[in-house]
């Protein structure tokens, strides 16, 4: 996008975890992030770098009005449901919001001539992993989502790709691996309700703010028997969105790009890293596998480097854990809204 001009970017779901970090990165890049969010799981306090338009992605009139009011040049689409477990219980809701929501967005973008989209996709499109059990996953690995959540991300990608071919929309789908960490400013961080993610749960256990962690499975075919995941710092993830907006792509291009480091960390390694950072061991017990957990999900990040000129700069496990821990100890400490909400209810949710 045109460097220097304060072009507006509509950030749907920009009051959530990754959306808020991306809004900050857009602001730092000289763009105006216009957050469009229904605040069903995001936080008003997390919207700091541009205006908030309260609206639902399925509301085409409100979407069109927001795009017109700010003369939006591009869209980054985060808004959607993310809990894999809930998607098996309520696939209807996931299709309604994650797929019909994208239909609605694409229709309005087409009507208004907004030609650039970055879409929040997921490694969940790969289901159980890549070609080999411990191999890094390239973008052309088989797509076999293992949940309705993954189905909706893949279906949305297909719809976006078709729209690119149909009329010249240019789009990048970023397939996130494991987003983690928090902005070092302390202004924003991760808060999900309910929390199901490993790093926040391990930190809560170490700080005595939550129950002991259960390590799900020790008999996977991995070096230490626990699952391998590719943890990516949320600020590296935010930078990937800015890079995807800036990428010099031909009109009508659709590209799906992995966002990960190419390095796997095991659950046991994460537990040790949290213990080191907290200065006390993480109370934990060993439990059975969680249904559907693949042994290893590690990105092949070569395409992101080649196409977007992006590579991670702050995704070492110790750095991720240190930033997450700072936030968990004192959420919102750099925000000026300290104490405005309950500890885990402060900004930001995804
Ligand atoms: N995990 C765990 N205990 C927990 C939560 C997660 O052992 O209480 C493991 C989970 O089995 C997976 C890894 O931590 O191998 C990362 O899980 P998370 O839910 O954070 O992300 P996912 O990879 O499922 O998207």
């Amino acid at each position: 996008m045109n460097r220097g001009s304060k072009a507006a970017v509509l950030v749907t779901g920009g009051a959530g975890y990754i959306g808020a970090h991306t809004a900050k990165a857009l602001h730092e890049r000289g763009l105006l992030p216009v957050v469009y969010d229904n605040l069903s799981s995001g936080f008003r306090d997390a919207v700091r770098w541009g205006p908030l338009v309260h609206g639902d992605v399925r509301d085409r009139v409100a979407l069109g009005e927001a795009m017109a009011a700010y003369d939006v040049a591009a869209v980054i689409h985060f808004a959607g449901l993310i809990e894999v477990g809930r998607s098996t219980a309520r696939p209807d809701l996931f299709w309604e919001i994650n797929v019909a929501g994208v239909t609605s967005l694409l229709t309005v973008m087409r009507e208004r001539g907004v030609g650039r989209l970055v879409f929040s996709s997921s490694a969940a499109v790969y289901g159980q992993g890549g070609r080999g059990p411990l191999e890094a996953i390239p973008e052309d690995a088989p797509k076999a989502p293992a949940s309705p959540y993954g189905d909706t991300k893949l279906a949305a990608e297909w719809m976006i790709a078709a729209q690119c071919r149909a009329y010249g929309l240019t789009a990048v789908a970023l397939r996130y691996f494991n987003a983690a960490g928090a902005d070092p400013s302390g202004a924003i961080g991760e808060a999900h309700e309910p929390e199901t993610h490993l790093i926040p749960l391990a930190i809560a256990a170490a700080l005595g703010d939550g129950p002991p962690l259960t390590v799900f499975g020790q008999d996977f075919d991995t070096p230490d028997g626990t699952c391998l995941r590719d943890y990516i710092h949320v600020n590296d993830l935010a930078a990937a969105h800015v890079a995807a907006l800036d990428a010099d792509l031909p009109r009508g291009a659709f590209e799906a790009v992995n966002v990960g480091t190419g390095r796997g960390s095991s659950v046991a390694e994460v537990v040790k890293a949290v213990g080191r950072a907290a200065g006390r061991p993480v109370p934990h017990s060993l439990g059975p596998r969680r249904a559907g957990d693949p042994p290893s999900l590690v990105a092949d990040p070569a395409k992101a480097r080649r196409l977007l000129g992006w590579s991670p700069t702050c995704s070492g496990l110790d750095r991720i854990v240190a930033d997450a821990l700072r936030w968990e100890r004192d959420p919102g400490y750099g925000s000026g809204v300290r104490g405005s909400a309950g500890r885990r209810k402060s900004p930001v949710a995804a």
Side-chain angles (χ1 to χ4, degrees):
M1 292 184 63
N2 193 10
R3 203 168 268 277
S5 69
K6 190 99 173 166
V9 179
L10 194 76
V11 185
T12 75
Y17 171 46
I18 303 169
H21 286 80
T22 301
K24 181 170 186 266
L26 291 168
H27 168 75
E28 286 164 0
R29 158 75 178 74
L31 300 166
L32 178 70
V34 176
V35 169
Y36 184 91
D37 200 302
N38 67 4
L39 300 179
S40 60
S41 60
F43 293 90
R44 189 179 294 275
D45 282 347
V47 183
R48 314 247 171 87
W49 294 278
L52 169 66
V53 179
H54 191 283
D56 191 287
V57 281
R58 293 161 294 173
D59 183 344
R60 294 182 189 189
V61 174
L63 266 178
E65 284 172 1
M67 288 185 203
Y70 292 96
D71 195 17
V72 160
V75 175
I76 306 184
H77 182 55
F78 294 99
L81 301 179
I82 61 160
E83 293 147 43
V84 174
R86 187 166 170 232
S87 80
T88 25
R90 291 301 306 270
D92 54 332
L93 282 184
F94 276 67
W95 280 80
E96 171 64 21
I97 295 170
N98 292 7
V99 181
V102 174
T103 312
S104 155
L105 180 69
L106 290 173
T107 302
V108 180
M109 287 180 73
R110 184 173 190 155
E111 283 166 3
R112 299 213 51 82
V114 179
R116 191 86 184 210
L117 174 66
V118 179
F119 173 62
S120 191
S121 188
S122 170
V125 301
Y126 302 116
Q128 287 298 306
R131 300 194 169 94
L134 291 179
E135 277 174 29
I137 304 173
E139 286 80 359
D140 61 357
K143 313 300 175 297
S147 67
Y149 167 72
D151 290 340
T152 62
K153 288 295 171 184
L154 189 56
E157 280 194 15
W158 286 341
M159 185 166 41
I160 294 166
Q163 195 80 340
C164 290
R165 288 190 295 272
Y167 83 101
L169 173 71
T170 304
V172 178
L174 296 178
R175 294 179 181 155
Y176 311 155
F177 282 67
N178 286 60
D183 188 70
S185 73
I188 43 178
E190 181 173 14
H192 298 105
E193 194 61 41
E195 188 53 79
T196 60
H197 292 108
L198 175 63
I199 292 177
L201 290 176
I203 290 174
L207 299 181
D209 290 333
L213 182 76
T214 304
V215 173
F216 296 144
Q218 301 78 46
D219 57 351
F220 289 97
D221 185 15
T222 59
D224 66 18
T226 64
C227 287
L228 288 175
R229 292 289 181 276
D230 188 340
Y231 295 92
I232 178 89
H233 195 293
V234 65
N235 276 355
D236 279 335
L237 199 43
H241 290 80
V242 177
L245 271 191
D246 281 338
D248 187 15
L249 298 173
R251 187 178 140 81
F254 172 81
E255 299 286 353
V257 181
N258 287 340
V259 190
T261 66
R263 212 180 38 246
S265 299
S266 73
V267 174
E269 285 168 334
V270 170
V271 168
K272 278 196 206 112
V274 171
R276 269 196 308 275
R280 64 194 88 144
V282 175
H284 67 277
S285 61
L286 305 178
R289 293 183 181 198
R290 183 170 67 179
D293 266 343
S296 167
L297 281 178
V298 177
D300 176 343
K303 184 174 178 183
R305 205 175 308 124
R306 193 177 65 245
L307 191 80
L308 308 181
W310 171 91
S311 51
T313 62
C314 53
S315 290
L317 188 56
D318 285 324
R319 166 73 189 273
I320 287 174
V321 167
D323 285 347
L325 180 69
R326 193 182 306 116
W327 163 259
E328 292 287 340
R329 278 199 165 122
D330 196 0
Y333 70 89
S335 68
V337 295
R338 204 168 168 171
S340 65
R343 185 179 173 283
R344 297 192 59 80
K345 281 292 198 177
S346 289
V348 162

